[in-house]
Amino acid sequence: METFVELLKTHNLKVTQQRLEILRYVESHLTHPTADEIFQSLTKKYPSLSKTTIYNTLETLTNAGIIQRLTICPTEHRYDFNHDMHHHFICKQCGKIFDIHFTCPNVETIEKDILKDGHRIEEVHGYFRGKCKDCLNKEGVKNG
Amino acid sequence: METFVELLKTHNLKVTQQRLEILRYVESHLTHPTADEIFQSLTKKYPSLSKTTIYNTLETLTNAGIIQRLTICPTEHRYDFNHDMHHHFICKQCGKIFDIHFTCPNVETIEKDILKDGHRIEEVHGYFRGKCKDCLNKEGVKNG
DNA sequence: TTTTAAGTTGTAACCATTACAATTTAACAA
DNA sequence: TTGTTAAATTGTAATGGTTACAACTTAAAA
Ligand SMILES: [Mn+2]
Ligand SMILES: [Mn+2]
Ligand SMILES: [Zn+2]
Ligand SMILES: [Zn+2]
């Protein structure tokens, strides 16, 4: 049985074509896509697919912990099939998001600090903003 | 001369009553307020103040590096007079944001990693999501 | 005091997201 | 296989934070 079918069943979610397609898309596109990007791509193959379904499904998958919602862009949500703790780099110019393959060894220390305050941590997010390699290179060409 | 007057002049920004009021508000409210919260408060004393001015001013102050924009809430921007690098804890239930007084000693290590990739870092953001002390207590009362 | 570039204001538009009601369907049981 | 039903999907309308824009006002330099 397809992995995603099992994955949905494991989480007591009904298996639908729409959910499978969205899962496949998010898993195979490591660009942290937006709901609209997913929609624009899938609507070609599945013209009846509704954007509301994209939103509903992303919400459902996020709540199930299957995917991760990134709230780090100013105007839109982005989604990540990789829900392990990892950091991101966002380019202020082109908006692209890169994974930072670095596991912060201080998370535990910070978490202890926060727990001392009495709060309960459920998610850890870290990101950096700046100008990406590609944009810096393009600029370099422009400016000599 | 008032500190904020000097601050604006230092950044070659015209000194206006609106900017001073917004600066005073953000400096004295450590709650990471939204544009609307600032507007709702100031409009009482200054009924002619426009919400557009709030947005314009927050943008200007952010670009000048005087305040910090937090892009960590799903539906709105929040602003922080403290633009030093520090982490935040956001309660999923009540939405309150707490400062985490912890300077991550690994930022430099990560930055070196990112620089190796060719990107240029300009901002560092870290935050945690979960349930805050107050909400946990309220829940505790409810559930016995 | 005069000048003007910059800031402020109110209104309209934008756009990602959500609400809602009608329709369809996955999953279960007979 | 068929019938049942709760859940999912769909299209449309509404929401709400934010931005665009043009007229008006003003801080600050000459
Ligand atoms: Mn990622
Ligand atoms: Mn803060
Ligand atoms: Zn870039
Ligand atoms: Zn709370």
Side-chain angles (χ1 to χ4, degrees), chain A residues 17 25 40 43 54-55 95 112 134 140:
Chain A
Q17 265 330 109
Y25 186 95
Q40 293 305 331
T43 196
I54 306 278
Y55 281 109
K112 271 179 206 152
D134 299 345

Side-chain angles (χ1 to χ4, degrees), chain B residues 6 11 13 19 22 44 52-53 71-72 78 80 86 91 98 101 104 113 116 124 136 141:
Chain B
E6 291 181 77
H11 289 83
L13 298 172
R19 286 177 174 173
I22 293 168
K44 294 170 194 159
T52 301
T53 298
T71 304
I72 57 185
R78 294 188 162 272
D80 196 340
H86 63 291
C91 178
F98 303 83
H101 303 292
C104 181
D113 263 39
K116 226 186 296 168
V124 181
L136 286 172
V141 171

Side-chain angles (χ1 to χ4, degrees), chain B residues 133-144:
Chain B
K133 188 184 184 175
D134 299 346
C135 288
L136 286 172
N137 284 341
K138 276 178 204 157
E139 210 176 54
V141 171
K142 227 184 286 172
N143 302 347

